[in-house]
Each structure stands twice: as C-alpha cells, then as structure tokens.
Amino acid sequence: MRKLSVNIDHIATLREARKEVVPDPVQAAVFAELGGADGITVHLRSDRRHIKERDLELLRKTIKTELNLEMASTNEMLVVALRIKPDMITLVPERPEELTTEGGLDVVKYYKTIKPIVEKIIKAGIGLSFFIETDKNQVAAAKKLGAEQIEINTNQYCEKSKIKNQKSKIELNKIVDKIEAIAKYAKNQGLRVHCGHGIDYWNIEPILAIKEIDGFSIGFSIIARAVLVGLKEAVLEMKKNL
Ligand code: PXP
C-alpha cells in the first residue's frame, strides 16, 4: 500500500487566522494518525506564518509515525532542524510572498549552496528528500547529494486536471507520462519516490496508476474536507448546549 503523509499546515493556518490556540496542529496530527496516516508533514516557513517551532517541538515528542519537515535550505532552518531532529527533511524553495510552494527546488542550480546544509542533515542521521520538478538532472543531483527520497511536484498536473476539454486531456496524459518516466528513473537510482502538491480525492487516480510512486504528501484537500465532514457534528454539539 502507498504511504500517506498528511500535511497539517492548514490546521495552523486556521489557528493563526484568529491568533488562537485552536485548532492545534499537534492534536490534528493525533487524528491523522488515528485515520491511518503514515506520516505527518509540516512546513516551517521563515515567516512562521502557520507552523511554529512550538508545534514542531511537540510533534516531535508526540507523533508515532514519520515526521517530515519541509524547509528552505537556509542556515536559520538548519539550526532548528538539527535541534528538532525530524525523521525526514524535504528541502523546498521558498519565496516570502508566495501563497504556497510554487515549484520544485532547482537542485542543479543551487547544488553548491545546498551541499554544506545537506551534509549536516545527513551527518545528523536525518533522512533527506528534495521537492523537485520532473527532470532527470534534478533527480541525478538529488541522488548525488545523498537524498534517499524525492518528492515530485504534481502541481502542474493538478492545475491541468481542472480544465475539462480534449486538448487539456491530451496534455494531462503527457504530464502523467513524464511523472511516470521520472518516477521510474528515480527508482532505478535507488530513490524512494513520493509526490505531492494539489492532489485531491478526484485527481489522484492517474497518479496512483504509477506503480513506482511509493507515497503521497497531501494537505489542503484533506484539511478542506475535514472542515466539512466535521461541521455537522460540531453544530449538533453546539445545539445541545442551547
Ligand atoms: N509537498 C510540498 C513540497 C508542499 O509544499 C505542499 C504544500 O504545502 C504539499 C506537498 C501539499 O500540497 P497540498 O496542500 O496542495 O496537498
């Protein structure tokens, strides 16, 4: 069975909308694990807009599955990561104004800058993954830097799958083929292959058909669904008070 790492950033986004203590991503992680999540993913951004260091500290102490920390390859993040020691670090690019991660990390271009950061991650015994585009050169550079996993960016595929016409269907198939080719290439290099960004309950099927994909990192669609799935019960509970 494929692995699922649940990204709980948007639980923290909701908390920060009111600067409250709830909903707590640490509690959310417990429910995700109860639901069968194989891992919990959080992105500690340099602006701390959702996940905070407090969340990471408590998640490290409480979750029973794999803690995957998405972060930019900066010295500031490295200090935090070496203190927390997640099971896995996924290096991602980060632009302060972006709504969400906008693309894969250019491992080829930033190879020399990333190398000293990566060496410290590996020395600390933390698993290493890179969030990358479907490009063999990126996979090769990730492998050379000592990655044990790559995460293929599925955003382009997910965006294209929203357009329902014949032309986009053909383009969509081409993107899926490209993802499959890269997944196969990475697998042959001995890398574990995950993918994520924009995956939901409807667009996952063609990606699931790619046997080389070992796991998924999914956040927004699960948290968005959780809000609606739980809303009826939450209202019923309030009505009981009235
Ligand atoms: N993988 C990476 C590297 C991401 O940055 C994100 C978004 O935080 C995800 C996966 C999950 O994407 P989504 O929230 O669209 O499921």
Side-chain angles (χ1 to χ4, degrees):
M1 202 192 273
R2 317 304 176 83
K3 302 275 186 205
L4 171 65
S5 188
V6 178
N7 182 318
I8 53 170
D9 289 352
H10 291 306
I11 297 289
T13 303
L14 197 53
R15 173 188 65 189
E16 296 309 311
R18 293 289 285 263
K19 301 277 174 230
E20 279 289 352
V21 293
V22 291
D24 188 340
V26 181
Q27 291 175 327
V30 174
F31 282 94
E33 286 189 330
L34 285 173
D38 303 290
I40 301 296
T41 293
V42 287
H43 185 171
L44 185 71
R45 287 185 165 271
S46 56
D47 61 8
R48 309 294 195 270
R49 73 164 86 139
H50 41 50
I51 293 293
K52 314 277 182 215
E53 281 173 52
R54 168 264 181 207
D55 303 327
L56 256 185
E57 283 158 13
L58 291 176
L59 286 168
R60 176 65 295 177
K61 287 181 185 155
T62 51
I63 71 159
K64 306 288 179 286
T65 58
E66 186 182 282
L67 178 60
N68 174 35
L69 170 63
E70 284 177 12
M71 61 175 229
S73 40
T74 62
N75 284 318
E76 188 225 339
M77 282 301 149
L78 181 68
V79 171
V80 178
L82 294 181
R83 181 169 61 79
I84 303 289
K85 289 204 168 59
D87 302 294
M88 175 76 64
I89 287 177
T90 301
L91 292 179
V92 299
E94 201 176 290
R95 194 173 65 82
E97 305 79 33
E98 68 189 358
L99 268 182
T100 179
T101 313
E102 288 171 338
L105 181 65
D106 193 339
V107 188
V108 176
K109 185 173 174 188
Y110 297 110
Y111 191 91
K112 280 194 183 146
T113 327
I114 296 169
K115 200 165 186 276
I117 306 251
V118 154
E119 281 169 352
K120 291 187 183 99
I121 291 172
I122 294 172
K123 198 167 163 224
I126 302 168
L128 177 68
S129 177
F130 289 95
F131 182 60
I132 55 171
E133 296 299 325
T134 47
D135 177 344
K136 280 187 181 177
N137 294 327
Q138 297 295 337
V139 177
K143 173 74 184 171
K144 206 169 153 200
L145 280 170
E148 61 186 64
Q149 180 177 301
I150 55 151
E151 183 184 331
I152 299 171
N153 181 10
T154 47
N155 192 46
Q156 193 198 5
Y157 160 78
C158 295
E159 284 304 312
K160 191 61 78 180
S161 70
K162 290 176 188 165
I163 309 163
K164 309 282 179 208
N165 61 35
Q166 198 53 32
K167 187 171 165 252
S168 69
K169 214 172 156 189
I170 296 163
E171 286 168 3
L172 197 62
N173 289 338
K174 280 190 191 154
I175 300 173
V176 174
D177 290 347
K178 221 169 153 190
I179 295 174
E180 184 168 21
I182 286 298
K184 282 194 171 133
Y185 178 74
K187 226 39 209 174
N188 284 335
Q189 302 282 314
L191 292 161
R192 214 167 41 234
V193 181
H194 277 224
C195 67
H197 213 293
I199 301 276
D200 65 25
Y201 296 81
W202 297 274
N203 63 21
I204 196 168
E205 213 179 304
I207 305 293
L208 267 177
I210 304 171
K211 297 289 168 253
E212 286 76 14
I213 290 174
D214 302 296
F216 292 86
S217 174
I218 307 179
F220 186 78
S221 64
I222 294 178
I223 305 305
R225 190 173 183 86
V227 170
L228 291 189
V229 167
L231 188 59
K232 186 174 159 192
E233 204 175 315
V235 173
L236 282 167
E237 281 178 13
M238 185 55 82
K239 282 291 281 183
K240 276 188 207 150
N241 291 330
L242 307 183

